[in-house]
């Protein structure tokens, strides 16, 4: 899957480089050879952080203990309720299946026995390990405001978020005032935005930040 992180690189008049990471929150001077070198260092740091923390995060959302999430389950947003793709109704077992407790699954599942057999076989043969694309993600209010795409794409992993006030180099209070004067929802400062939206909104206030802010994109694979 593709994930994104925002970084900020400030080149000092003395030739030094200052790097700001949003997830984890970290800002420090770095003795990079040049800006390209700084970007490469930031890319490695972000990817290592995503791979280290992301796998654990995704694993924690697969299900508790020995359970995995049902392949016929989907998350109803924004209330994060597991529902059944087959019926559209709320799932009585919240899409949590323990492959070692077949009777519990059959008692709670809405599907007919043949479909239940297929679901269990898919899980027990390892063809499906319980991973879903929505659980464990949070809403980006700017994505939601823009609209124009499937609702699930408004949601992002924790490491994809960034704070707009930090991106534009303003205090929280001043950023609120800037947004209010520009007719932009204050929620864009009150809530972290996904990397892409944070970059886009920051450009509206200060196009010169294009040389400092950069959205890094990574292809990651979290399934075990």
């Amino acid at each position: 899957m593709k994930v994104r992180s925002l970084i900020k690189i400030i080149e000092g008049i003395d030739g030094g480089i200052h790097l700001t990471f949003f997830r984890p929150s970290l800002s420090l001077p770095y003795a990079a050879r040049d800006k390209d070198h700084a970007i490469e260092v930031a890319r490695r740091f972000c990817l290592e952080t995503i791979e280290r923390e992301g796998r654990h995060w995704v694993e924690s959302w697969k299900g508790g203990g020995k359970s995995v999430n049902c392949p016929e389950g989907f998350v109803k947003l924004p209330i994060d309720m597991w529902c059944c793709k087959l019926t559209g109704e709320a799932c009585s077992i919240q899409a949590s299946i323990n492959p070692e407790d077949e009777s519990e699954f059959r008692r709670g599942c809405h599907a007919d026995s043949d479909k239940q057999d297929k679901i269990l076989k898919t899980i027990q043969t390892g063809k499906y390990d319980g991973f879903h694309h929505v659980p464990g993600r949070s809403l980006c209010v700017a994505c939601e405001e823009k609209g124009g795409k499937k609702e699930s794409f408004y949601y992002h992993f924790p490491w994809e978020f960034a704070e707009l006030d930090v991106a534009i180099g303003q205090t929280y209070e001043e950023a609120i005032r800037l947004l209010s004067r520009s007719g932009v929802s204050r929620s864009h400062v009150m809530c972290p935005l996904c990397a892409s939206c944070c970059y886009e909104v920051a450009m509206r206030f200060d196009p010169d930040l294009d040389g400092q802010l950069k959205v890094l994109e990574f292809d990651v694979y979290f399934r075990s």
Side-chain angles (χ1 to χ4, degrees), residues 198-211:
C198 190
Y199 174 86
E200 292 172 8
V201 177
M203 289 303 102
R204 292 169 61 180
F205 289 101
D206 187 355
D208 290 339
L209 287 172
D210 184 49

Side-chain angles (χ1 to χ4, degrees), residues 22-42:
F22 294 83
R23 296 292 186 279
S25 179
L26 182 64
S27 186
L28 72 166
Y30 187 79
R33 293 190 299 271
D34 50 36
K35 184 177 178 180
D36 289 340
H37 179 223
I39 292 173
E40 185 56 37
V41 169

Side-chain angles (χ1 to χ4, degrees), residues 6-11 17-22 26-28 42 164-170 209 211-214:
L6 184 69
I7 61 169
K8 186 174 184 178
I9 300 176
I10 299 177
E11 297 179 89
I17 299 279
H18 196 278
L19 282 171
T20 296
F21 299 93
F22 294 83
L26 182 64
S27 186
L28 72 166
L164 181 62
D165 53 336
V166 178
I168 62 178
Q170 299 287 344
L209 287 172
Q212 297 182 11
L213 295 174
K214 187 169 183 63

Side-chain angles (χ1 to χ4, degrees), residues 62-176:
K62 283 184 180 180
K66 298 178 180 178
S67 297
V68 296
N69 296 127
C70 177
E72 296 295 345
F74 73 95
V75 175
K76 186 175 182 179
L77 301 172
I79 59 177
D80 282 347
M81 175 186 289
W82 283 102
C83 295
C84 179
K85 295 177 184 177
L86 304 174
T87 66
E89 300 175 357
C91 175
S92 59
I93 58 175
Q94 282 300 279
S96 180
I97 301 174
N98 182 349
E100 298 180 7
D101 193 344
E102 183 176 325
S103 61
E104 181 185 21
F105 162 67
R106 291 189 182 277
R107 283 195 303 270
C109 180
H110 295 145
D112 59 41
S113 60
D114 287 343
K115 186 60 180 179
Q116 289 178 359
D117 290 341
K118 292 178 181 178
I119 291 172
L120 286 171
K121 184 177 180 180
T122 298
I123 293 172
Q124 291 167 346
T125 57
K127 292 182 179 179
Y128 179 79
D129 65 4
F131 180 84
H132 284 264
H133 291 285
V134 170
R137 296 189 181 191
S138 299
L139 175 69
C140 169
V141 294
C143 280
E144 182 181 44
E145 184 179 285
K146 286 189 298 185
K149 55 186 177 182
K150 189 176 178 182
E151 186 181 5
S152 60
F153 290 111
Y154 304 161
Y155 288 72
H156 304 269
F157 286 113
W159 53 86
E160 295 189 275
F161 285 92
E163 286 70 30
L164 181 62
D165 53 336
V166 178
I168 62 178
Q170 299 287 344
T171 64
Y172 175 83
E173 293 76 14
E174 181 58 29
I176 288 286

